[in-house]
mmCIF file with all atom_site columns, all heavy atoms in Angstrom:
data_model
loop_
_atom_site.group_PDB
_atom_site.id
_atom_site.type_symbol
_atom_site.label_atom_id
_atom_site.label_alt_id
_atom_site.label_comp_id
_atom_site.label_asym_id
_atom_site.label_entity_id
_atom_site.label_seq_id
_atom_site.pdbx_PDB_ins_code
_atom_site.Cartn_x
_atom_site.Cartn_y
_atom_site.Cartn_z
_atom_site.occupancy
_atom_site.B_iso_or_equiv
_atom_site.pdbx_formal_charge
_atom_site.auth_seq_id
_atom_site.auth_comp_id
_atom_site.auth_asym_id
_atom_site.auth_atom_id
_atom_site.pdbx_PDB_model_num
ATOM 1  N N   . THR A 1 75 ? 7.787  19.755 14.666 1.00 89.00 ? 462 THR A N   1
ATOM 2  C CA  . THR A 1 75 ? 7.086  21.028 14.633 1.00 89.00 ? 462 THR A CA  1
ATOM 3  C C   . THR A 1 75 ? 6.122  20.976 13.420 1.00 89.00 ? 462 THR A C   1
ATOM 4  O O   . THR A 1 75 ? 6.239  20.089 12.566 1.00 89.00 ? 462 THR A O   1
ATOM 5  C CB  . THR A 1 75 ? 8.009  22.229 14.384 1.00 89.00 ? 462 THR A CB  1
ATOM 6  O OG1 . THR A 1 75 ? 8.719  21.983 13.125 1.00 89.00 ? 462 THR A OG1 1
ATOM 7  C CG2 . THR A 1 75 ? 9.040  22.354 15.465 1.00 89.00 ? 462 THR A CG2 1
ATOM 8  N N   . TYR A 1 76 ? 5.203  21.890 13.368 1.00 86.00 ? 463 TYR A N   1
ATOM 9  C CA  . TYR A 1 76 ? 4.195  21.918 12.341 1.00 86.00 ? 463 TYR A CA  1
ATOM 10 C C   . TYR A 1 76 ? 4.854  22.032 10.983 1.00 86.00 ? 463 TYR A C   1
ATOM 11 O O   . TYR A 1 76 ? 4.486  21.412 9.969  1.00 86.00 ? 463 TYR A O   1
ATOM 12 C CB  . TYR A 1 76 ? 3.139  22.907 12.540 1.00 86.00 ? 463 TYR A CB  1
ATOM 13 C CG  . TYR A 1 76 ? 1.970  22.762 11.629 1.00 86.00 ? 463 TYR A CG  1
ATOM 14 C CD1 . TYR A 1 76 ? 1.144  21.700 11.719 1.00 86.00 ? 463 TYR A CD1 1
ATOM 15 C CD2 . TYR A 1 76 ? 1.777  23.631 10.532 1.00 86.00 ? 463 TYR A CD2 1
ATOM 16 C CE1 . TYR A 1 76 ? 0.096  21.476 10.824 1.00 86.00 ? 463 TYR A CE1 1
ATOM 17 C CE2 . TYR A 1 76 ? 0.735  23.445 9.641  1.00 86.00 ? 463 TYR A CE2 1
ATOM 18 C CZ  . TYR A 1 76 ? -0.140 22.390 9.800  1.00 86.00 ? 463 TYR A CZ  1
ATOM 19 O OH  . TYR A 1 76 ? -1.121 22.194 8.891  1.00 86.00 ? 463 TYR A OH  1
ATOM 20 N N   . GLU A 1 78 ? 7.842  21.159 10.082 1.00 88.00 ? 465 GLU A N   1
ATOM 21 C CA  . GLU A 1 78 ? 8.440  19.862 9.715  1.00 88.00 ? 465 GLU A CA  1
ATOM 22 C C   . GLU A 1 78 ? 7.375  18.904 9.145  1.00 88.00 ? 465 GLU A C   1
ATOM 23 O O   . GLU A 1 78 ? 7.593  18.270 8.158  1.00 88.00 ? 465 GLU A O   1
ATOM 24 C CB  . GLU A 1 78 ? 9.122  19.318 10.951 1.00 88.00 ? 465 GLU A CB  1
ATOM 25 C CG  . GLU A 1 78 ? 10.244 18.379 10.644 1.00 88.00 ? 465 GLU A CG  1
ATOM 26 C CD  . GLU A 1 78 ? 10.820 17.819 11.976 1.00 88.00 ? 465 GLU A CD  1
ATOM 27 O OE1 . GLU A 1 78 ? 10.638 18.506 13.047 1.00 88.00 ? 465 GLU A OE1 1
ATOM 28 O OE2 . GLU A 1 78 ? 11.442 16.755 11.936 1.00 88.00 ? 465 GLU A OE2 1
ATOM 29 N N   . PHE A 1 79 ? 6.264  18.840 9.909  1.00 88.00 ? 466 PHE A N   1
ATOM 30 C CA  . PHE A 1 79 ? 5.148  17.985 9.490  1.00 88.00 ? 466 PHE A CA  1
ATOM 31 C C   . PHE A 1 79 ? 4.675  18.336 8.119  1.00 88.00 ? 466 PHE A C   1
ATOM 32 O O   . PHE A 1 79 ? 4.398  17.488 7.275  1.00 88.00 ? 466 PHE A O   1
ATOM 33 C CB  . PHE A 1 79 ? 4.036  18.045 10.524 1.00 88.00 ? 466 PHE A CB  1
ATOM 34 C CG  . PHE A 1 79 ? 2.725  17.388 10.017 1.00 88.00 ? 466 PHE A CG  1
ATOM 35 C CD1 . PHE A 1 79 ? 2.731  16.058 9.731  1.00 88.00 ? 466 PHE A CD1 1
ATOM 36 C CD2 . PHE A 1 79 ? 1.577  18.116 9.964  1.00 88.00 ? 466 PHE A CD2 1
ATOM 37 C CE1 . PHE A 1 79 ? 1.607  15.424 9.332  1.00 88.00 ? 466 PHE A CE1 1
ATOM 38 C CE2 . PHE A 1 79 ? 0.409  17.511 9.537  1.00 88.00 ? 466 PHE A CE2 1
ATOM 39 C CZ  . PHE A 1 79 ? 0.459  16.164 9.161  1.00 88.00 ? 466 PHE A CZ  1
ATOM 40 N N   . LYS A 1 80 ? 4.554  19.643 7.902  1.00 84.00 ? 467 LYS A N   1
ATOM 41 C CA  . LYS A 1 80 ? 4.077  20.209 6.631  1.00 84.00 ? 467 LYS A CA  1
ATOM 42 C C   . LYS A 1 80 ? 4.997  19.694 5.471  1.00 84.00 ? 467 LYS A C   1
ATOM 43 O O   . LYS A 1 80 ? 4.566  19.363 4.407  1.00 84.00 ? 467 LYS A O   1
ATOM 44 C CB  . LYS A 1 80 ? 4.079  21.718 6.670  1.00 84.00 ? 467 LYS A CB  1
ATOM 45 C CG  . LYS A 1 80 ? 3.004  22.274 5.890  1.00 84.00 ? 467 LYS A CG  1
ATOM 46 C CD  . LYS A 1 80 ? 3.070  23.861 6.080  1.00 84.00 ? 467 LYS A CD  1
ATOM 47 C CE  . LYS A 1 80 ? 4.249  24.332 5.214  1.00 84.00 ? 467 LYS A CE  1
ATOM 48 N NZ  . LYS A 1 80 ? 4.503  25.786 5.466  1.00 84.00 ? 467 LYS A NZ  1
ATOM 49 N N   . GLN A 1 81 ? 6.283  19.716 5.784  1.00 86.00 ? 468 GLN A N   1
ATOM 50 C CA  . GLN A 1 81 ? 7.202  19.355 4.758  1.00 86.00 ? 468 GLN A CA  1
ATOM 51 C C   . GLN A 1 81 ? 7.202  17.820 4.481  1.00 86.00 ? 468 GLN A C   1
ATOM 52 O O   . GLN A 1 81 ? 7.275  17.388 3.272  1.00 86.00 ? 468 GLN A O   1
ATOM 53 C CB  . GLN A 1 81 ? 8.659  19.828 5.120  1.00 86.00 ? 468 GLN A CB  1
ATOM 54 C CG  . GLN A 1 81 ? 9.010  21.059 4.404  1.00 86.00 ? 468 GLN A CG  1
ATOM 55 C CD  . GLN A 1 81 ? 10.213 21.702 5.004  1.00 86.00 ? 468 GLN A CD  1
ATOM 56 O OE1 . GLN A 1 81 ? 11.037 21.006 5.669  1.00 86.00 ? 468 GLN A OE1 1
ATOM 57 N NE2 . GLN A 1 81 ? 10.374 23.031 4.834  1.00 86.00 ? 468 GLN A NE2 1
ATOM 58 N N   . GLY A 1 83 ? 4.904  15.629 5.558  1.00 88.00 ? 470 GLY A N   1
ATOM 59 C CA  . GLY A 1 83 ? 3.549  15.057 5.447  1.00 88.00 ? 470 GLY A CA  1
ATOM 60 C C   . GLY A 1 83 ? 3.378  13.834 6.344  1.00 88.00 ? 470 GLY A C   1
ATOM 61 O O   . GLY A 1 83 ? 2.479  13.082 6.134  1.00 88.00 ? 470 GLY A O   1
#
Side-chain angles (χ1 to χ4, degrees):
Chain A
T462 62
Y463 191 70
E465 204 182 337
F466 168 60
K467 212 181 71 185
Q468 259 166 24

